[in-house]
Amino acid sequence: MNAKSGDKEDYSVPTPDPADIQNLVFANRILYKYGVVDGFGHVSLRHPQSPDHFLLSRNLAPDRVTADDIFIHNSSGEIVDATSATPYLERFLHSEIYKARPDVLAIVHSHANTVIPFGVVKQQPLRPLWHMAGFLEKDVPIFDIRDHAGDGTDLLITDTNLGAALASDMGDASVVLMRGHGATVVGKDIPEVCFRAVYTQLNADIQLKALALGDITYLTELEASAAAENIGGQVNRAWNLWCKEVDPGFEE
Ligand code: MN
């Protein structure tokens, strides 16, 4: 257990806004409902009042996460506001991406099964083929842990060096596939990152089906960026629906 409760520096971290915590709880439920995460996977939010920290559940299946399970993590990936909470093993992918990408304010990591084939078949990159997934790059980067840590790892991002390697291979992309493991998706807020995680999984599913039919006409780069801009401005329509689905008492 690496929690650092009592660290002087950490007393200065502001208490997060309950509305931000609630959004993160909804995100956990929504990603489970839409099959992006199952018993595994996680979603985080950069602390809106303290950019060097981020908010992430303790080690728990996403659909079980409540507001009480969300803890403040520091830039080393450690929980600062509890001594007894067990953190996720792969919290370092969050801390290192936040460090490398000031534009990223929310992150989803999953083992979404439809994207796995595109992380292990180099000749068949995941590419946007419908307007809902214009945010995907022409060629989504693939992180191969063997390039950084050699053979025999457990494939997981269990330290800051591996987190930094993942962030580096991701570059400025929205999505990075992780060979034999899963995917990590970033966004400018919780609704956007959930939208991207859901539609990355759906684009992969549709691409697999289309590949069985024949050659695919993908979106061009211009179409992808135009579609991403248009749909990106309407993310809250889906987000408000999804919140209502996981909490019938939800009001916009
Ligand atoms: Mn994982």
Side-chain angles (χ1 to χ4, degrees):
M1 184 58 230
N2 295 309
K4 288 185 176 175
S5 183
D7 187 323
K8 244 182 181 176
E9 172 194 36
D10 296 322
Y11 281 118
S12 63
V13 183
T15 303
D17 185 331
D20 291 322
I21 298 283
Q22 185 59 58
N23 261 357
L24 197 48
V25 171
F26 280 152
N28 275 275
R29 302 280 173 80
I30 289 164
L31 293 168
Y32 175 72
K33 179 178 166 59
Y34 281 86
V36 175
V37 299
D38 47 21
F40 300 91
H42 21 86
V43 49
S44 70
L45 173 67
R46 191 191 286 274
H47 193 319
Q49 289 82 39
S50 181
D52 291 338
H53 294 85
F54 62 97
L55 310 175
L56 177 68
S57 170
R58 67 186 173 92
N59 194 319
L60 202 60
D63 197 46
R64 297 185 56 209
V65 171
T66 69
D68 291 341
D69 300 307
I70 306 288
F71 290 100
I72 300 171
H73 294 59
N74 64 20
S75 59
S76 303
E78 305 301 351
I79 294 177
V80 302
D81 55 348
T83 51
S84 59
T86 304
Y88 285 121
L89 290 174
E90 295 195 280
R91 57 200 182 278
F92 307 105
L93 69 88
H94 298 268
S95 58
E96 293 302 317
I97 290 174
Y98 285 127
K99 224 178 275 177
R101 292 277 301 269
D103 60 308
V104 169
L105 302 184
I107 300 173
V108 170
H109 169 66
S110 83
H111 310 148
N113 58 39
T114 62
V115 305
I116 300 300
F118 298 99
V120 297
V121 180
K122 280 187 179 165
Q123 301 87 336
Q124 202 57 257
L126 179 66
R127 291 180 60 182
L129 52 57
W130 65 334
H131 70 298
M132 299 302 286
F135 59 87
L136 289 175
E137 312 299 309
K138 183 167 173 287
D139 291 322
V140 175
I142 298 173
F143 168 81
D144 190 330
I145 199 166
R146 261 188 297 193
D147 295 341
H148 304 278
D151 195 2
T153 70
D154 57 12
L155 283 302
L156 304 182
I157 305 298
T158 48
D159 62 39
T160 54
N161 287 337
L162 289 170
L166 176 69
S168 170
D169 282 7
M170 180 175 208
D172 60 2
S174 306
V175 178
V176 59
L177 303 183
M178 302 157 79
R179 196 266 307 163
H181 178 179
T184 298
V185 181
V186 301
K188 66 174 166 44
D189 55 26
I190 288 281
E192 182 177 86
V193 83
C194 287
F195 176 88
R196 287 178 170 179
V198 167
Y199 283 97
T200 295
Q201 147 109 324
L202 289 173
N203 192 92
D205 182 48
I206 294 165
Q207 190 172 339
L208 288 169
K209 289 168 178 159
L211 283 167
L213 297 179
D215 291 339
I216 297 177
T217 302
Y218 293 97
L219 299 194
T220 65
E221 284 186 61
L222 286 174
E223 287 171 341
S225 71
E229 190 175 338
N230 186 317
I231 299 292
Q234 302 184 62
V235 163
N236 279 334
R237 197 161 96 194
W239 175 253
N240 289 328
L241 168 70
W242 293 340
C243 288
K244 189 87 177 165
E245 286 176 338
V246 298
D247 177 8
F250 170 79
E251 287 179 18
E252 289 175 34

